[in-house]
Amino acid sequence: MNFSKDNRIVLTLDAGGTNFVFSAIQGYKQIVEPIGLSAVSDNIEGCLDVLVNGFNQVISKLNKKPVAISFAFPGPADYEHGVIGDLQNFKAFRGGVALGPYLEEVFKIPVFINNDGNLFAYGEALAGMLPEVNKAFEDAGSKRRYKNLIGITFGTGFGGGAVINGTLLTGDNGCGGDVWCMRNAKHTHMIAEEGVSVRAVRRVYQELSGKSAEGLTPYDIFKIAEGIEPGDQEAARGSFAELGTIAGNGIANAVNIVDGIVAIGGGLCGAGKYIMPALVDALNSHLTTFAGERVGMIQMKAYNWEDEEQRNQFLGIDVDAVKVPRTDKTVPYLTNRATCVGFSKNGASSSIMYGAYAYALANL
């Protein structure tokens, strides 16, 4: 699906626990300056007022009527029916609130709500990393193309989504693509998100340095890793590397099911130079059988798209040919299985909005 030249307008929202950012998308482009309003997460009436106010402000800047509203909410909900339930960061929705149907009543247009990880993945698949990778293969003269993508977000939590051959994997329970609740590779009784999040970076820095991390942000710890600010440089780098290792182990499970490339976004990507090597190493690590055989964590080799040498190696992989027995014919033969992992060039917020836009148009 290509909506890059579609003239329809969709209202979008990036709903964070602190701020709501409203916008409008047409042809994968924001056509208004985004409007940020403080979220009211603990009072349903106040939250509804903010939502209506924000969308009305965007509508006032448009020269034609939007065809839909489409936006992301963090965490699990009954997105198919537009009902937001017990989200940790939004106490106002405890017990379930029919937010989608309410907004449809107010604005008289269809409303689509989905998980932010899902919409990030959809945006990257249709207007982000997937077309970027396939264009690079085309420019390299390769016949190889990819159809599937796993989208991962590093931030307050460990988000994820999957797109298979242009279709967003939502799942029968609205939980398709979730990675946050996978097993933590280091602390096996805990969820992966405890090792892949803002709080994880702070905790691990404190553990490795033996110093209090109270008041430090991941950006502070990144500056320590860079040697810009005083602190334990090795511990700072180690905190991001451990995040990469735990994330890589979780992503490996997703790659084995979806079998596609991986796009990563979110606030913690600013420290990607310390995260990515450990993440790719985890993907390329091995397990064993009782017979002592080494088996790859994933069935293909993972390449770091952000590393020029590895990216060129990945782009150099083409489809081979094998002869059909007793004929002069040949058929394609995929001998080198490979995937790549890279950071979003759009940024998580933009890709989420692009995903929301495409999800609405695909379902109208």
Side-chain angles (χ1 to χ4, degrees), residues 63-359:
N63 56 17
K64 61 186 291 188
K65 183 179 178 179
V67 297
I69 293 172
S70 185
F71 60 93
F73 245 70
D78 184 354
Y79 293 115
E80 181 180 356
H81 299 107
V83 179
I84 305 301
D86 295 343
L87 302 183
Q88 184 175 354
N89 294 334
F90 288 89
K91 295 180 180 178
F93 292 88
R94 294 290 166 85
V97 175
L99 182 59
Y102 166 73
L103 292 173
E104 288 183 347
E105 287 289 325
V106 173
F107 294 101
K108 308 303 181 184
I109 55 177
V111 176
F112 303 93
I113 310 175
N114 214 309
N115 179 281
D116 50 0
N118 284 348
L119 294 182
F120 170 76
Y122 207 37
E124 286 295 320
L126 298 182
M129 187 174 171
L130 188 59
E132 175 192 348
V133 167
N134 285 332
K135 179 63 164 56
F137 271 114
E138 181 182 355
D139 292 344
S142 172
K143 295 185 178 69
R144 190 155 191 173
R145 299 292 185 271
Y146 281 74
K147 299 178 181 178
N148 306 322
L149 177 137
I150 299 163
I152 298 294
T153 55
F154 294 159
T156 304
F158 183 25
V163 178
I164 301 173
N165 198 19
T167 300
L168 179 64
L169 173 65
T170 54
D172 290 327
N173 296 287
C175 302
D178 283 0
V179 293
W180 64 273
C181 54
M182 288 182 175
R183 188 181 297 275
N184 187 306
K186 182 176 181 180
H187 304 283
T188 56
H189 60 294
M190 292 190 178
I191 60 172
E193 189 171 271
E194 288 301 309
V196 189
S197 55
V198 166
R199 63 185 181 274
V201 173
R202 187 182 297 115
R203 173 183 56 77
V204 175
Y205 175 74
Q206 182 166 304
E207 290 175 356
L208 295 177
S209 68
K211 301 174 183 177
S212 173
E214 186 176 355
L216 291 180
T217 67
Y219 183 57
D220 295 327
I221 297 171
F222 172 72
K223 288 190 288 186
I224 294 171
E226 293 282 274
I228 299 171
E229 295 289 347
D232 190 325
Q233 189 174 37
E234 290 306 310
R237 294 180 176 182
S239 67
F240 291 115
E242 182 168 309
L243 182 148
T245 297
I246 295 173
N249 277 273
I251 292 169
N253 294 322
V255 168
N256 281 326
I257 299 297
V258 176
D259 186 9
I261 66 170
V262 181
I264 301 175
L268 293 177
C269 290
K273 63 193 290 186
Y274 301 116
I275 295 172
M276 188 66 84
L279 191 157
V280 173
D281 283 348
L283 288 174
N284 288 325
S285 63
H286 290 79
L287 302 172
T288 61
T289 68
F290 279 113
E293 297 174 343
R294 295 175 80 239
V295 179
M297 179 80 79
I298 59 176
Q299 296 186 63
M300 65 286 292
K301 183 174 180 180
Y303 292 85
N304 180 353
W305 183 255
E306 305 305 320
D307 180 273
E308 184 177 4
E309 181 178 354
Q310 290 194 38
R311 181 170 62 250
N312 288 336
Q313 290 174 0
F314 177 69
L315 292 173
I317 299 171
D318 207 343
V319 178
D320 294 326
V322 65
K323 188 176 180 180
V324 178
R326 298 179 179 178
T327 74
D328 294 329
K329 297 179 180 179
T330 61
V331 295
Y333 179 32
L334 184 62
T335 56
N336 295 302
R337 298 171 179 171
T339 186
C340 70
V341 186
F343 292 120
S344 168
K345 304 304 183 294
N346 296 331
S349 182
S350 291
S351 282
I352 288 169
M353 285 191 285
Y354 297 159
Y357 168 76
Y359 186 73

